[in-house]
Amino acid sequence: MAALGGGCRGALGLLLRRGRPGPGQGPRRHRHKEKWATTAPRIPATRLALHHFDMNYSLHLKELWPSVRVGLLCEQKYGALLNNFSCVDHVTEELELLNATDFVSEASQKAQQLQCGADAKEAGRGESVSQEESGEGRTVMHAESMMHAETSPQLRASISSNIKCYTFPRGDITRFRPARPDTLGLLDYYLMDAASLLPVLALNVQPDDFVLDLCAAPGGKTLALLQTGVCGHLAANDISLSRTKRLYQILHSYVPKEMRETVSVTSCDGRDWEQVEGGTFHKVLVDVPCTTDRHSVMEQDNNIFHKRRTKERQMLPMLQLQLLMAGILATKPRGEVVYSTCSLSPLQNEYVIERAIEIAETEFNISIHVEDLSHFRMLFQDTFSFFSDCRLGELVLPHLTANFGPMYFCKLRRM
């Protein structure tokens, strides 16, 4: 019996030892199997973005995509937008000593040279009438017509603004120093993607125009509009309060108080702007939220390709369309709208334009004319790389030798 009792105690002890929780192990009733979703490796949003772009942009850009992809993944190039409200003479000399040039004034000079050449050819056109029926004559006539279109008065006006922006030559990756304040505390220049100025130049603001920047923050394009010095009134709006604070900071850092009083800053939903001030503005800039392609492949923070933002990303074209329609309805008849994104996606670019034109016609009886901006390719080809197959508007492609963009812009006129 003693032996039997000892055996029972040994078996009971073994059972107790098996049931006793080991180190780091809770009671069995509290143990659970971890879900796969919490243990699976998380794919970074930047990698998700790059995979998405590989799938889509390789079809859209074809053989251009590999070089564009490399550009997106490399350090972005910047331009220095001179602050005309600051004392910039010494800044101009400093930048030119570094071999930087003002790409806006260079384009203006190129347009003037082409105009002089076109005028000279027009004067001698009568002498070549006998060649018109030959192939050579047709080529000459076609070149002359292209030259005339590229140097129209509207074109010359669009690039003869007061905007000055310095960039380093193609292949030069020199960085600009940080901006410095002058004696009045105003910073001497604003560093930005130089391609972001193209929508502002395309808007072609005229003296005393009432201008609306519908999605204004963080403020680079708003500042560029003020640099023209001709806005009769500028309304700068952005739905985000935090981004609007950044806009205020930009204005206070670059613009004197008397000029800031010509700017009204609001934080409204841009989609509702027509209900606030419909049919009021001569010019409207609609720089919409988008997939911000370069940011999406380079930065984890605030990345729209995060899994939790999937629905938001899918709804972007609808939001962009609503904002563009609000911009169209905010313009006066014969007023102009420039739509822009920093995305390569045709779904966010040309398709939004086409749908807006259709809705304006069918639902609001408004006829929209798409302005030809192809001359921008010729005038700015020394600074930017353009996509030649854009159906509507123009698209700047990132490229290692000129790593600006992406920047899409399209100009509409409300008839």
Side-chain angles (χ1 to χ4, degrees):
M1 290 295 292
L4 183 60
C8 288
R9 285 195 298 271
L12 180 61
L14 181 62
L15 287 173
L16 289 173
R17 283 196 299 273
R18 286 180 178 175
R20 189 180 298 126
Q25 192 177 22
R28 184 175 295 275
R29 65 179 179 275
H30 295 306
R31 291 166 60 190
H32 63 279
K33 186 176 181 181
E34 292 190 16
K35 294 183 178 179
W36 178 86
T38 62
T39 59
R42 294 184 179 179
I43 302 176
T46 51
R47 191 183 300 176
L48 290 173
L50 189 58
H51 176 71
H52 177 86
F53 296 157
D54 282 334
M55 295 283 289
N56 291 276
Y57 295 163
S58 59
L59 299 175
H60 177 49
L61 300 176
K62 300 182 173 62
E63 68 276 2
L64 296 175
W65 171 236
S67 66
V68 173
R69 187 184 195 270
V70 171
L72 282 176
L73 293 170
C74 291
E75 184 176 350
Q76 182 177 14
K77 200 169 181 177
Y78 284 89
L81 172 67
L82 290 198
N83 184 12
N84 292 327
F85 305 116
S86 175
C87 302
V88 294
D89 290 342
H90 69 285
V91 180
T92 300
E93 295 174 4
E94 175 190 344
L95 293 176
E96 289 176 354
L97 285 173
L98 293 173
N99 202 31
T101 56
D102 177 8
F103 79 88
V104 181
S105 66
E106 283 186 340
S108 180
Q109 293 169 12
K110 183 185 289 188
Q112 291 173 5
Q113 292 169 359
L114 290 172
Q115 183 64 46
C116 291
D119 291 343
K121 289 191 176 188
E122 187 68 25
R125 188 177 178 183
E127 300 176 7
S128 61
V129 172
S130 59
Q131 300 178 358
E132 288 184 3
E133 297 302 320
S134 69
E136 180 185 355
R138 284 192 293 273
T139 302
V140 169
M141 292 179 68
H142 176 71
E144 288 179 355
S145 64
M146 288 295 292
M147 190 81 72
H148 179 73
E150 290 168 347
T151 55
S152 64
Q154 182 180 3
L155 166 61
R156 293 198 301 275
S158 71
I159 58 170
S160 61
S161 69
N162 295 321
I163 293 175
K164 301 178 184 67
C165 185
Y166 279 77
T167 58
F168 291 107
R170 279 179 175 264
D172 187 337
I173 57 173
T174 304
R175 295 179 181 178
F176 291 98
R177 62 160 174 81
R180 297 172 183 160
D182 64 5
T183 54
L184 299 176
L186 298 177
L187 297 179
D188 50 9
Y189 57 62
Y190 180 79
L191 295 179
M192 65 190 301
D193 185 334
S196 296
L197 283 180
L198 297 179
V200 176
L201 292 171
L203 200 58
N204 190 19
V205 177
Q206 296 298 301
D208 300 323
D209 274 350
F210 275 47
V211 183
L212 169 62
D213 190 352
L214 192 60
C215 309
K221 294 182 180 67
T222 303
L223 181 61
L225 287 166
L226 287 171
Q227 298 303 314
T228 64
V230 296
C231 294
H233 177 72
L234 176 59
N237 176 75
D238 200 277
I239 190 173
S240 169
L241 287 173
S242 60
R243 285 167 59 86
T244 303
K245 289 180 181 178
R246 172 64 177 153
L247 174 59
Y248 273 116
Q249 292 172 355
I250 294 292
L251 293 176
H252 280 267
S253 298
Y254 288 89
V255 183
K257 183 178 179 181
E258 60 272 18
M259 282 300 300
R260 292 200 302 268
E261 292 174 352
T262 68
V263 184
S264 60
V265 179
T266 54
S267 293
C268 304
D269 187 333
R271 293 172 291 185
D272 301 328
W273 193 268
E274 188 270 336
Q275 301 173 19
V276 180
E277 291 186 77
T280 304
F281 297 92
H282 301 95
K283 305 287 170 64
V284 177
L285 178 62
V286 187
D287 184 46
V288 295
C290 65
T291 47
T292 54
D293 293 356
R294 187 183 290 276
H295 177 89
S296 292
V297 297
M298 295 293 285
E299 303 290 341
Q300 283 293 113
D301 292 342
N302 196 30
N303 194 315
I304 200 165
F305 280 86
H306 277 298
K307 287 288 189 181
R308 64 178 180 273
R309 300 183 68 183
T310 299
K311 187 67 175 178
E312 178 187 352
R313 188 178 75 250
Q314 292 171 342
M315 293 300 293
L316 271 176
M318 177 60 70
L319 172 63
Q320 293 160 344
L321 175 61
Q322 291 170 333
L323 288 168
L324 178 54
M325 285 307 306
I328 291 171
L329 295 174
T331 60
K332 296 173 177 285
R334 307 295 298 176
E336 295 171 334
V337 178
V338 170
Y339 172 86
S340 62
T341 77
C342 48
S343 172
L344 298 164
S345 169
L347 287 175
Q348 300 175 63
N349 298 337
E350 295 102 311
Y351 289 121
V352 171
I353 297 291
E354 290 172 335
R355 184 66 179 136
I357 294 172
E358 179 185 345
I359 291 175
E361 178 70 38
T362 57
E363 297 189 18
F364 297 94
N365 197 29
I366 296 174
S367 179
I368 300 295
H369 178 258
V370 179
E371 300 284 297
D372 181 14
L373 296 176
S374 59
H375 52 267
F376 272 61
R377 264 180 275 156
M378 183 271 299
L379 291 176
F380 298 107
Q381 63 184 353
D382 293 337
T383 306
F384 306 106
S385 296
F386 287 90
F387 182 46
S388 59
D389 293 334
C390 235
R391 290 184 293 107
L392 297 170
E394 296 297 327
L395 176 63
V396 174
L397 299 176
H399 191 277
L400 273 182
T401 62
N403 207 5
F404 302 103
M407 178 56 59
Y408 173 81
F409 58 105
C410 183
K411 185 172 183 178
L412 309 175
R413 181 184 296 273
R414 175 176 175 172
M415 307 306 288

